[in-house]
Every structure is written in structure tokens, then in C-alpha cells.
Amino acid sequence: MASTPSKELYILGLTLQGKTFRPSDWAERLAGVMSQFRPGGPQPGSHLGYSPWCVPTSIGQVKCVIIHADLRDYDVMAWDFCLNFARDNELQVSETRPEVPPARPAKSE
């Protein structure tokens, strides 16, 4: 049986080294840039809400952006922009909802 491609891609606010990505509002900024890419195209006022294809959220204490495969079908350059953002910033990407470990208490020095 052939595997079906995932409908969602998760970009986590964790680097490949496991460090928290900064700035803390990166997910909202990325989703804001992508707000014009939506079913039916940009509409007056659509910049005021997130696209259903690029949604900022958190999993546990980790910020993330969920990118829906329909974005790739609608505009491959927008899809590539999101993937390149993750690659350029060395962010973790997953095709399945990641299991994020609970936050560790800060070490005192």
C-alpha cells in the first residue's frame, strides 16, 4: 500500500539543535505574511485574519505554524516561502503532529 502524502506540515519554533526560536511572535508574523493566500484569493479586509492554510498555534509550550497542503496547490511559491523560512532558520518540520516534551524548568546559575 502506498503512503498518502500528509495534508499538513508543522513548522516548530525549535531549531534543529532543540533551542527555542526567537522572536517569540515568529509564528504570528509568518502567518500574517501568508494571510493573503486563502480560498477565493485575497478579499478586502482579508489581511486582518489568518489564512486557513497557514495557522499559528502552540503545541505544549512550543510555538508552531501549521501549513495545509492546499496552500501548495494554490500557490507553490507561497508554499516554498514557508519551507525556505523553516530551512533558513534551521527549524524542525514534521508531517505529523509532533509530540513536544513538557517545558523544563530554567537552570539557575
Side-chain angles (χ1 to χ4, degrees), residues 13 25 65 100:
D25 66 343
V65 173
V100 177

Side-chain angles (χ1 to χ4, degrees), residues 14-37:
L14 292 174
T15 66
L16 297 174
Q17 296 76 29
K19 296 183 180 180
T20 301
F21 183 65
R22 299 282 181 226
S24 61
D25 66 343
W26 73 270
E28 292 83 3
R29 290 183 189 200
L30 177 58
V33 169
M34 303 309 293
S35 66
Q36 66 179 326
F37 300 98

Side-chain angles (χ1 to χ4, degrees), residues 41-74:
Q43 303 293 319
S46 65
H47 66 284
L48 299 175
Y50 297 122
S51 166
W53 297 331
C54 184
V55 181
T57 190
S58 294
I59 298 176
Q61 298 294 315
V62 178
K63 294 266 191 156
C64 71
V65 173
I66 303 171
I67 310 295
H68 196 278
D70 287 344
L71 176 63
R72 180 182 55 228
D73 299 336
Y74 180 77

